[in-house]
């Protein structure tokens, strides 16, 4: 046992209980230090020990016992068996006490009349738990982990036990807890009372389930988008791998763009092209006297936008599957005198079945989660993601309805996610045996090449035009009305003035841009570190509950951003944990939404690192932390860099979750762009989006330059990320 580790957490626990403020500090926050004027006797800033002794809050007394018992475990004369007993009892007592306190006290005081009769009335607004409670919770959790390690859990490795305990606690707090609060909120009626009828009355509405209802619209859009995107992606994959048509490499470039582009930019560009004042409508009206219509607003527009945005996602899935088909199967079919058409339809396409189904389901899930394009182009088409948003911020102001709609959307996404995982897990379309394979792939027949090119070429042209519109739209005075060239929108967004001896940022976009950049810089390393740590635990260690823990960590991929946003607002807008409209909640949202990418990259990289290297390090008496730092991390550096860049890009371009979590103090770039686009300021929105796209391109070039040192091709990297 590491006596130093126990001593460290003992010191931290007593620091949190006796020195740090127990409750959350309101106003300007903890780091403004305004609370020092009333510290330590004022109940709002008092430590837990002062609240217990001076303010008579007896329910904190079990924490004294919890922090006192582990002291005996630090004595050198105590055996590991006895020390583990003290640590487990003390840690369990403290952690359980904190959980009970969190459940027993809310913004109005005691949640149970029985508790109020025992401990007395709590006057005034009850704040959430603060840094003191957080440190004590961490200390008691580590007591439990050290105690389990002493009893042989994970081979007695205290670091691994602590990492598992911390990971489980954080995933539970920021993934399961918000979803649980969302579920409970669906049972609360307009008067704040819990009842079964509150759920049934909301979920049984014909507006949700009937023909033309929100669920019907969402599923219809998902099926259409998944079908069109998968067919287009199949055409691209076959053209790239089975033909010699010029411009094949352009597809790989276009596959990168949706990753570095805010998800609603496609919709913005389509409005600039096909809106009532759009460029194409203006040309048609001028040349052919065709009056513009609003066809782009509704199902056709959203379908087109999602097809453009999600076809590259399906392509990244399918191109690897097509590349992975062994040429020997096709050669065997041709040896049996099968024509190229027969070989394609009886050998190649059946072997592509898992990839096609996988691509279809992934695009379906992404379509359900899309928020920006339906918001800009939806018109009278109401889908679940947008309906949830307007249930919160619209005239309805009905969090209960938003919770029910979010649960419906979550149920659909989880069902598709489970189907996708089940199909991938059960596939048996093995074509690579590990033996040498020098065969040649059959070329796509000319007729099919022409059909594939005819389907995909319009997509390529439209995709190029869409991005050209975004990059150029900020240089026109008033889109659709006055096409005079100007830099006014860039100056309005990112203007800088020289006043006296100092430079001053006058642009309206600077605040949200710098906030987004700062949040991304903070969250990206945390996301990469957390995801890769979980990958290391899952790949290198065995522990009880591992399968369930892995499923929960992968669950964040299936939870739409809109559901995450509404769940975080419901969970963290009131005690016991108040984080709403702070920078912390934005960082937490990005870390636990995007950790799946880092986790998958880490698992893929660790599968290539022989565990014998870990054993050799252990033979040299290096602990798990030293082995991880000196052996494992250097060998998975490409995965680390990829995780950092993808996490950074995601934080810079996310919209669906953060639109619920922003505030005037923490405004985000994507929310700012959508707000300007909704009121018709397309020049400003295009200028802002162009700056983000250029910034993301620089990030992608950096990752390609760094990862290229390990000879990892861009397409292979993108396929791994997808």
């Amino acid at each position: 046992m590491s006596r130093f580790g126990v001593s460290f957490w003992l010191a931290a626990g007593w620091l949190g209980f006796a020195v740090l403020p127990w409750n959350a500090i309101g106003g300007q926050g903890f780091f403004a230090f305004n609370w020092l004027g009333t510290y330590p006797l004022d109940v709002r800033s008092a430590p837990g020990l002062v609240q217990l002794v001076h303010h008579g809050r007896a329910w904190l007394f079990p924490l004294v016992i919890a922090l006192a018992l582990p002291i005996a475990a630090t004595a050198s004369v105590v055996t590991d068996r006895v020390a583990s007993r003290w640590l487990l009892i003390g840690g369990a007592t403290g952690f359980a006490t904190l959980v009970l306190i969190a459940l027993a006290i809310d913004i109005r005081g005691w949640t149970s009349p029985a508790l109020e009769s025992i401990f007395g009335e709590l006057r005034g607004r009850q704040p959430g738990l603060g840094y003191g409670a957080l440190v004590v919770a961490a200390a008691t959790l580590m007591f439990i982990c050290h105690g389990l390690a002493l009893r042989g859990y994970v081979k007695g490795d205290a670091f691994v036990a602590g990492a598992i305990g911390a990971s489980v606690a954080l995933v539970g707090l920021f993934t399961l807890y918000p979803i649980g609060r969302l579920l409970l909120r669906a049972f609360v009626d307009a008067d704040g009372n819990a009842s079964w009828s509150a759920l049934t009355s909301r979920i049984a509405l014909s507006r949700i389930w009937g023909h033309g209802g929100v669920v019907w619209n969402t599923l219809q859009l998902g099926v259409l988008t998944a079908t069109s995107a998968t067919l287009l992606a199949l055409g691209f994959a076959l053209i790239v791998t089975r033909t010699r048509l010029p411009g094949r490499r352009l597809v790989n470039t276009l596959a990168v763009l949706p990753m570095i582009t805010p998800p609603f930019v496609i919709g913005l560009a389509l409005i600039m092209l096909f809106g009532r004042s759009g460029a194409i409508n203006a040309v048609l009206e001028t040349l052919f006297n065709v009056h513009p219509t609003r066809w782009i607003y509704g199902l056709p527009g959203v379908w087109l936008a999602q097809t453009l945005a999600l076809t590259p996602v399906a392509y990244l899935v399918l191109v690897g599957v097509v590349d992975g088909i062994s040429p020997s199967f096709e050669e065997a079919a041709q040896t049996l005198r099968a024509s190229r058409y027969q070989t394609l339809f009886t050998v190649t396409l059946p072997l592509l079945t898992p990839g096609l189904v996988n691509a279809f389901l992934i695009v379906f899930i992404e379509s359900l989660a899309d928020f920006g394009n339906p918001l800009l182009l939806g018109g009278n088409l109401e889908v679940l993601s947008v309906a949830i948003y307007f249930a919160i911020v619209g005239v309805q102001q009905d969090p209960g309805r938003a919770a029910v709609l979010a649960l419906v959307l979550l149920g659909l996404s989880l069902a598709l996610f489970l189907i996708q995982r089940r199909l991938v897990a059960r596939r048996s379309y093995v074509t690579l045996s590990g033996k040498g394979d020098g065969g040649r792939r059959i070329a796509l027949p000319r007729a099919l090449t022409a059909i594939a090119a005819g389907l995909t070429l319009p997509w390529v042209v439209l995709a190029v035009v869409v991005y050209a519109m975004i990059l150029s739209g900020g240089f026109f005075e008033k889109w659709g009305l006055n096409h005079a060239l100007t830099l006014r929108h860039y100056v309005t967004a990112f203007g800088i003035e020289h006043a006296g001896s100092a430079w001053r940022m006058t642009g309206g976009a600077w605040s949200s841009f710098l906030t987004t950049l700062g949040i991304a810089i903070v969250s990206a390393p945390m996301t990469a570190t957390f995801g890769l740590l979980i990958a290391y635990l899952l790949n290198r260690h065995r522990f009880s509950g591992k399968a369930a823990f892995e499923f929960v960590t992968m669950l964040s991929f299936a939870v739409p951003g809109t559901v995450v946003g509404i769940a975080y607002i419901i969970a963290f807008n009131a005690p016991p944990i108040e984080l709403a409209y702070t920078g912390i909640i934005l960082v937490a949202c990005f870390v636990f939404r995007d950790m799946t990418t880092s986790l998958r990259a880490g698992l893929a990289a660790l599968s290539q690192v022989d565990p014998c290297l870990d054993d050799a390090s252990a033979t040299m008496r290096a602990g798990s932390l030293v082995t991880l730092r000196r052996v494992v991390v250097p060998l998975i550096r490409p995965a680390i860099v990829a995780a950092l860049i993808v996490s950074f890009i995601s934080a810079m371009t996310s919209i669906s979750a953060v639109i619920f979590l922003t505030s005037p103090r923490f405004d985000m770039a994507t929310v700012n762009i959508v707000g300007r686009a909704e009121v018709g300021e397309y020049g400003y929105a295009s200028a802002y989006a162009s700056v983000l796209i250029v910034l993301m391109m620089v990030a992608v070039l950096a990752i390609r330059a760094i990862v290229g040192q390990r000879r990892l091709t861009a397409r292979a990297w993108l396929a791994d990320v997808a």
Side-chain angles (χ1 to χ4, degrees), residues 22 59-63 66 91-103:
W22 185 256
W59 55 88
L60 297 175
F61 179 73
L63 295 177
T93 300
F95 200 79
T97 300
L98 284 168
V99 172
L100 292 175
I101 290 174
L103 296 176

Side-chain angles (χ1 to χ4, degrees), residues 23-110:
N23 294 323
I25 303 297
Q28 297 182 354
F30 177 86
F31 292 103
F33 298 110
N34 295 335
W35 50 272
L36 288 174
T38 58
Y39 178 85
L41 296 181
D42 186 86
V43 69
R44 291 171 295 182
S45 60
L49 185 61
V50 174
Q51 294 202 25
L52 170 64
V53 176
H54 184 71
H55 296 284
R57 300 198 161 182
W59 55 88
L60 297 175
F61 179 73
L63 295 177
V64 176
I65 300 175
L67 294 173
L69 290 177
I71 295 176
T74 61
S76 58
V77 296
V78 176
T79 64
D80 287 352
R81 188 74 178 177
V82 175
S84 69
R85 185 183 304 122
W86 292 120
L87 288 171
L88 289 173
I89 294 175
T93 300
F95 200 79
T97 300
L98 284 168
V99 172
L100 292 175
I101 290 174
L103 296 176
I105 302 175
D106 63 10
I107 195 170
R108 295 181 298 271
W110 295 109

Side-chain angles (χ1 to χ4, degrees), residues 282-586:
V283 172
L284 292 176
E285 186 175 19
T286 302
L287 299 180
F288 305 103
N289 198 28
V290 177
H291 296 290
T293 63
R294 297 179 58 86
W295 71 268
I296 195 67
Y297 298 99
L299 178 62
V302 182
W303 180 18
L304 178 59
Q306 288 191 349
T307 300
L308 284 169
L310 299 178
T311 294
V313 176
Y315 166 75
L316 292 176
V317 175
L318 287 175
V319 70
V321 177
V322 176
D323 268 341
I325 295 178
S326 174
S328 60
F329 287 87
E330 296 172 339
E331 287 189 345
Q334 290 185 313
T335 302
L336 295 173
R337 299 183 180 181
S339 66
R340 283 192 293 176
Y341 287 98
Q342 290 175 315
T343 303
L344 179 68
F345 288 105
T346 61
V347 177
T348 306
L349 290 181
L351 290 174
L352 287 176
T353 300
L356 291 171
V357 175
N358 201 18
F360 181 90
L361 292 173
I362 288 177
V363 173
F364 205 147
I365 293 172
E366 293 291 335
S367 173
L368 295 182
D370 186 24
F371 171 76
N373 290 313
L375 180 66
L376 292 177
L377 294 171
N380 294 326
L381 179 74
E382 187 180 32
V383 296
L384 281 167
S385 58
V386 177
I388 294 169
Y389 173 70
F390 284 114
I392 291 292
V393 303
V395 295
Q396 304 173 48
Q397 293 287 318
D398 189 354
R401 171 178 166 79
V404 169
L405 292 175
L407 289 176
V408 173
L409 179 57
L410 178 61
L412 294 175
S413 298
L414 286 180
L416 291 170
F417 175 67
L418 292 174
I419 293 172
Q420 188 257 351
R421 280 180 59 90
R422 186 69 177 269
L423 289 176
V424 171
R426 294 179 59 185
R427 68 182 180 184
S428 57
Y429 296 79
V430 177
T431 64
L432 297 177
S433 62
K435 299 180 180 179
D437 195 343
R440 297 180 59 186
R441 295 183 174 90
I442 64 169
L444 199 66
R446 289 186 177 182
L448 291 180
T449 300
I451 294 174
L455 288 174
T456 56
L457 184 60
W459 184 95
V460 172
V461 173
L462 187 56
V464 172
V465 171
V466 161
Y467 284 101
M469 295 291 294
I470 291 298
L471 295 175
S472 63
F475 294 102
F476 294 97
E477 181 66 33
K478 184 69 174 177
W479 191 263
L481 299 176
N482 184 357
H483 291 153
L485 296 178
T486 180
L487 292 176
R488 180 176 65 86
H489 301 301
Y490 284 92
V491 173
T492 304
F494 296 100
I496 301 177
E497 291 183 357
H498 186 264
S501 60
W503 291 92
R504 187 165 59 93
M505 293 182 293
T506 59
W510 279 117
S511 176
S512 60
F513 178 78
L514 293 177
T515 298
T516 306
L517 187 61
I519 294 292
I521 290 174
V522 171
S523 62
M526 298 175 65
T527 306
T529 302
F530 190 61
L532 294 171
L533 175 63
I534 294 178
Y536 169 74
L537 296 175
L538 293 175
N539 183 267
R540 288 296 199 262
H541 299 281
R542 295 181 179 180
F543 51 91
S544 56
K546 177 180 175 179
F549 178 58
E550 181 178 7
F551 175 77
V552 173
T553 55
M554 292 292 186
L555 191 65
S556 60
F557 167 77
V559 180
T562 313
V563 176
V564 173
I566 186 63
Y568 269 44
I569 282 295
I570 291 175
F572 301 122
N573 196 34
I577 304 174
E578 292 184 282
L579 300 176
Y581 311 116
T582 65
I584 297 176
I585 196 172
L586 291 169

Side-chain angles (χ1 to χ4, degrees), residues 156-167:
D157 194 316
F159 166 73
V160 175
I164 293 173
S167 301

